[in-house]
Amino acid sequence: MLTYSIIFILSLCLSYLSILAFSRLFYKYDIVDNPKKYWKKRKPIPYSMGVIFFLVFFVVSYFFVEPSYKLLLIWLFGWVITLVSFFDDMISLSPKARLVLQIIIGATIGITSIKIGYISNIFGGIVDLETLHLWIFGKEIFLIPLIFTIIWYVFVFNALNWSDGIQGNTSGLALICFFVIFLLGLKLFVTDTYLGGKQNAEFIMQLSIILVAVLIPFLYFDYKEKILMGDSGTMFLGFMLATLAIISWGKVATVLSVFGIYAVDAIYVIIRRLLKGKNPLSWDFTHLHHRLSDVGFSKNQILLLVFSLSFFFGTTSLFLDKTGKIIVFFLIAFFVVFLSFIVEKIKKISFRK
């Protein structure tokens, strides 16, 4: 555990120092937000500070994680996603352009070795998705895994991005997600009996503990409304969350358990927008934290609710089988929909008064 302790402390310190350094740099070059856009009465603060996530992650993983083709892909895609999202923060792409970009990213990742090649069968065994395929420029492309992978990445990108409507929410939620993935890696390391499984578990643990450490100081500054991560942060964190779920031997259900509140909320909001004839990927104030805020929940109360439930459902899923995880996800769905129903009722009563 000495190596993990060094990785954790180094990542924590680099993140803290990077936040201080980049804050000064962004103020100097006027890379700040427009608080009037969100009807806030504070001074502009450094925006798109999520670039720190990739930079610290790259430096620490370069020196402490064993080089591999998989790590090289994560570096490459992580850098491209962070860089493109940083420029998106500066010029604000349209929802359609963002969707196209996300599909391209998901497709490119799916064509590589990082893809969803199978899903677990609740009745036992697995369902192999690598059946239909075609050849493009000498490369064998499996169609169903490619489609599944695109949907998974696009969904996680947007669901996590939509949680970024109250400061501290996304960074705290992501921190809990990566901590649960670290525990998942630890569980796999203990239970797997062959060398390949233990090596993969160590890989998962190393990457996730870096991200946990990076997010701890960021959560503090984010909560205090000193910085904003922007799309450069949410997109990179979404990419890492979706990727670690796949390479953890396809533990998508476990990630959905800890990420379930905003996964269900994303589906809920998309359906509502479609029913109203709106663009499902448009920007508005209809997400869970917005609805709770509208009926009187304070920022601290919202964060406490989201964090405690995410941690509870995430850690619980580590000890459940496939059926148990499905039950947990349905419980999360019931909770989010029921809570949204109650909130809508309160809003109608308040409006009548």
Side-chain angles (χ1 to χ4, degrees):
M1 295 299 292
L2 178 60
T3 302
Y4 292 100
S5 299
I6 295 173
I7 290 175
F8 179 83
I9 294 172
L10 180 60
S11 301
L12 189 74
C13 293
L14 283 177
S15 177
Y16 179 77
L17 294 174
S18 297
I19 291 170
L20 297 181
F22 274 77
S23 292
R24 290 188 177 185
L25 186 66
F26 280 29
Y27 272 127
K28 180 179 179 180
Y29 291 99
D30 199 32
I31 307 176
V32 294
D33 75 323
N34 178 13
K36 293 181 180 179
K37 182 179 179 181
Y38 312 100
W39 297 285
K40 292 190 175 184
K41 299 180 180 179
R42 57 164 172 76
K43 295 180 179 179
I45 57 177
Y47 186 54
S48 199
M49 289 280 285
V51 294
I52 292 172
F53 297 151
F54 173 78
L55 294 176
V56 177
F57 172 82
F58 173 76
V59 171
V60 178
S61 61
Y62 179 83
F63 288 103
F64 288 93
V65 180
E66 185 176 351
S68 64
Y69 175 66
K70 196 176 296 183
L71 180 61
L72 181 62
L73 288 177
I74 291 175
W75 284 344
L76 176 62
F77 289 127
W79 170 242
V80 171
I81 289 168
T82 302
L83 185 63
V84 172
S85 299
F86 179 80
F87 285 110
D88 180 20
D89 283 332
M90 301 300 105
I91 62 177
S92 297
L93 295 175
S94 67
K96 290 182 179 179
R98 290 184 182 183
L99 177 59
V100 172
L101 175 63
Q102 292 167 6
I103 292 174
I104 293 173
I105 291 172
T108 305
I109 295 171
I111 292 173
T112 67
S113 61
I114 302 176
K115 61 180 181 297
I116 301 176
Y118 66 90
I119 56 175
S120 298
N121 189 333
I122 62 174
F123 301 107
I126 62 173
V127 178
D128 185 13
L129 302 179
E130 296 183 339
T131 52
L132 298 175
H133 64 93
L134 52 84
W135 293 87
I136 299 179
F137 301 113
K139 174 73 174 178
E140 186 178 21
I141 308 297
F142 294 98
L143 297 180
I144 298 179
L146 179 61
I147 294 171
F148 268 70
T149 303
I150 291 173
I151 293 173
W152 172 241
Y153 274 93
V154 171
F155 179 74
V156 174
F157 281 147
N158 286 284
L160 191 64
N161 188 43
W162 288 340
S163 71
D164 192 27
I166 175 172
Q167 285 204 243
N169 195 32
T170 301
S171 50
L173 180 63
L175 193 158
I176 294 170
C177 286
F178 291 121
F179 178 68
V180 171
I181 291 175
F182 173 79
L183 295 178
L184 173 62
L186 182 61
K187 177 186 175 183
L188 294 173
F189 181 82
V190 173
T191 56
D192 280 339
T193 57
Y194 63 99
L195 182 61
K198 288 187 178 295
Q199 289 176 338
N200 189 62
E202 286 184 326
F203 182 72
I204 295 165
M205 292 166 64
Q206 289 168 343
L207 298 193
S208 57
I209 200 64
I210 293 173
L211 294 168
V212 168
V214 170
L215 282 163
I216 289 175
F218 200 96
L219 173 59
Y220 172 79
F221 286 98
D222 190 16
Y223 173 78
K224 292 291 186 179
E225 300 193 13
K226 301 293 185 181
I227 56 176
L228 284 169
M229 70 170 64
D231 282 350
S232 63
T234 57
M235 288 290 284
F236 175 73
L237 293 176
F239 163 70
M240 290 304 302
L241 184 61
T243 300
L244 288 176
I246 294 175
I247 65 178
S248 301
W249 299 111
K251 300 296 182 180
V252 172
T254 300
V255 172
L256 279 178
S257 296
V258 63
F259 187 56
I261 292 178
Y262 274 95
V264 173
D265 181 63
I267 297 172
Y268 178 84
V269 170
I270 287 173
I271 293 175
R272 288 195 61 183
R273 289 173 180 172
L274 289 173
L275 291 176
K276 293 182 179 180
K278 295 182 178 180
N279 184 335
L281 299 180
S282 60
W283 184 81
D284 59 23
F285 293 93
T286 61
H287 297 289
L288 180 63
H289 45 272
H290 296 133
R291 300 195 298 274
L292 291 174
S293 180
D294 288 343
V295 297
F297 276 68
S298 68
K299 173 182 175 179
N300 289 341
Q301 289 172 333
I302 295 172
L303 294 179
L304 179 61
L305 178 66
V306 172
F307 294 170
S308 58
L309 288 176
S310 297
F311 182 79
F312 172 75
F313 286 127
T315 52
T316 300
S317 68
L318 294 173
F319 305 98
L320 298 175
D321 58 12
K322 293 182 286 290
T323 304
K325 291 175 184 178
I326 292 174
I327 293 173
V328 166
F329 190 75
F330 275 108
L331 287 175
I332 297 172
F334 174 79
F335 171 80
V336 173
V337 174
F338 178 75
L339 183 61
S340 300
F341 175 78
I342 297 298
V343 167
E344 291 299 325
K345 286 292 184 182
I346 294 174
K347 289 174 65 176
K348 287 182 180 179
I349 293 173
S350 301
F351 179 76
R352 289 171 184 173
K353 291 180 179 181

